[in-house]
Amino acid sequence: MNLVRSFLGAALLTAGYLPAAAQARHEYLLTTNWKFTKGEVADAANPGFNDAKWQTVSVPHDWAIYGPFSPQNDLQTVKIEQNNEKEAKTKAGRTGGLPFIGTGWYRRQLQVPGFGAGQRAVLVFDGAMSDAHVFVNGREMGAWPYGYNSFAVDITEAVKPTGDNVLAVRLQNLPEQSRWYPGAGLYRNVHLIVTNEVHIPVWGTYLTTPTITPEYAKVKLRTKVATPGNAFQPLRLETDIRDAGGKVLATVSTPLTATDGQEFEQNLVVPQPRLWSPETPVLYAATSRLYAGDVLKDEFTTPFGIRSFSIEAGKGFVLNGEPRKFKGVCNHHDLGPLGAAINVAALRRQLTLLKDLGCDAIRTSHNMPAPELVQLCDEMGFLLMVESFDEWKTPKVKNGYSRLFDAWAEKDLVNMVHRDRNHPSVIMWSIGNEVPDQWAPGGSKLAKRLQDIVHREDPTRPVTAGMDQFDAAVNNGFAAVLDVPGFNYKPHRYPEAQTKLPQGFLLGSETASTVSSRGVYKFPVEKAKDKRYPDNQSSSYDLEASNWSQTPDEEFAAQDELAYTLGEFVWTGFDYLGEPWPYDESWPSHSSYFGILDLAGLPKDRFYLYRARWNPTQPTLHLLPHWTWPGREGQTTPVFCYTNYPSAELFVNGVSQGRQTKGPSSQPQTRYRLMWNEVKYQPGSIKVVAYDAAGKAVAEEEVHTAGKPHHIRLLPDHPILTADGQDLAYVTARVEDAQGNLCPEATNQLQFKVKGAGKFRAVANGDATSLEPFHQPQMHAFRGLLVATVQATDKPGALQLTAASKGLKSATVQLTTQAKLVK
């Protein structure tokens, strides 16, 4: 039979904050004046402990990203079954070669303004890596072991109504607890929420849109209420819905009766709804005011979007009535040179780059994301697969999630769903990635148990999992259990899955583990698996993949030819720290090669292969390789063109090399790339002229042979920053010749200086073998490029970044920081 599920809903849950004059609810972001030390410290939770010698830091904070890199940091000897390894081997850079293992303590004074009788104080941790234990005035008030999840701790009983309180947090990372760089410390935000005793608790609203028509949308809002001792008392909840401009569209007032328990249900109607989608990310807001008599007890805003979707056999994925396929990427949580420490500006930059790529979906591999990412996906228009676990009961690494699974899996799933179930961007929940339980006895029962938990907490969305063990998962019932069967790297077996499984559709949950180093080209050019070179780099001709995977083109063909496929999530959007395959046994490699963009956020050639396919509304015309090859004169140097035009002609020093046309072929590469494989290198230039379907020349791209490095050129991603102490500008530094051509082999060390209303934050060059620290204001260019990051202060003014290098003309760029606009 075919499984047909229809999922209608809305989503986005973020606390609404009152103006300073209101007293019902206050939220404070605890970012500054933290004291930190690494290592176990006796009595560190004691409020009288002297932490004067500890380091002063701001949160979010990742203690390990500052290094130094070392092959001894989390050295693992392991057989990776997911990589088809037959014996255990020693991995030096598997978790990034950074010192994240050990215990860390954070302390700060905690003032709770106006706190007194009849109020509650709750701390919300967006994520703490890991095994967090929270103390207030020496009392342990709560703990949460999984470092990726958000959790709340009620500290009311320990807070002193007057004077300072002391908040202390102990964290510990174990060796061999991860397969990639997990980060360390309070790497996500910490919130203090102060409410009345009668209040809406953390993640206490659940909003859906069960009926959507062009004329109206029905909005169903369930709101939990916490009361002292859980005793019933008459309450009233007044809710209004507003559009993005603040116009009131609907209102309702609902009394709470004894039969309602501790939850309100309200139904409202939005006329002529504007639908949320990646192309039109329209948001609304439901603001609820909780009264006891005429006394305002709490106020809470639930932003949301209105959209419907279904996943059905014969139709696939349908959003707001329109069939579409996911154009998605998998992303780990680190932000490259910033480490795991969350930063909204860094996330926004990543999403902006993905938008230009044409990407419309993200899989949060392999864990719960930061809430800021989910909110940005709502605002900017991305579909999200929110993932929970990389392990269930059967371990992949010695100290992974398997040791927590029995006691914590349900709690972790409940928190994940409750936090994010109101977000319109969230389309699917994933309960696991390549878990060995796929083939273990009882694995399908575990999958059903976890899926049932998710359905209980949110029946509006489907559940999936990424499966790599095709035969086991298909033949033992594991894949049949899931709402959406997700297959990792199995395009050649999609037809077999379609005939054996009941759902009638399937998803490429992880695809195309192609490896490349930006700007690096290897000869001869050939398609290869697990190809390794003495310099620990991979070729950017985009023909080298992992043994378990394929190049992008094979997945493209499957998605194009098979109507029952729902789309793909490419491994990965960005390079990330750790998992440096195929060099995970070869130090100094310590970051991945899988990304469509490198660790600095610079596009690799593969970016344009995907852009040509995913972003048809914008012209793409990209040539590779570079054309500076001293010593290769007369040798075969293939030239590829990635374009969304149907055909193009290549010229070398003005001489035509012929015209190529994309079209159906038994070789997927010739369907999606234009390739001239017999070109002989001659210094000068290569130029490609693109033709439209009518044969008219419509665009061209030219690459010149570069001369000697002459100067530095600085290109900021935007010139104006917000003076909030957090905003970032990413400035690309190019080493160019006298004519402005990129010098593709330049490795000059660049030094940076920042003056004015900002500071140097980090630098990265995208080289997976570079051991230079990210936080020092100098680094060697990799293939002529690197990216420096500057951070605004909280004072408006001018900001100046200068880059200098011996033998090169220096460069300066002027930026401006402006006061934050208050809505």
Side-chain angles (χ1 to χ4, degrees), residues 15-16 18 22-27 193-195 199-200 298-300:
L18 295 177
Q23 300 300 314
R25 170 181 291 254
H26 288 297
E27 179 165 346
I193 302 174
V194 181
T195 65
H199 67 283
I200 300 166
D298 202 358
E299 183 171 351
F300 191 85

Side-chain angles (χ1 to χ4, degrees), residues 719-776:
I720 300 175
L721 288 75
T722 300
D724 60 0
Q726 297 294 322
D727 201 8
L728 304 174
Y730 286 83
V731 182
T732 300
R734 292 169 51 97
V735 178
E736 297 181 343
D737 69 7
Q739 285 71 45
N741 298 305
L742 177 71
C743 297
E745 300 296 328
T747 59
N748 306 67
Q749 185 185 57
L750 276 59
Q751 292 85 34
F752 297 94
K753 291 183 179 180
V754 177
K755 293 182 180 179
K759 64 179 181 179
F760 177 84
R761 182 66 177 85
V763 62
N765 61 14
D767 180 4
T769 71
S770 173
L771 300 180
E772 295 175 277
F774 301 122
H775 63 285
Q776 296 293 342

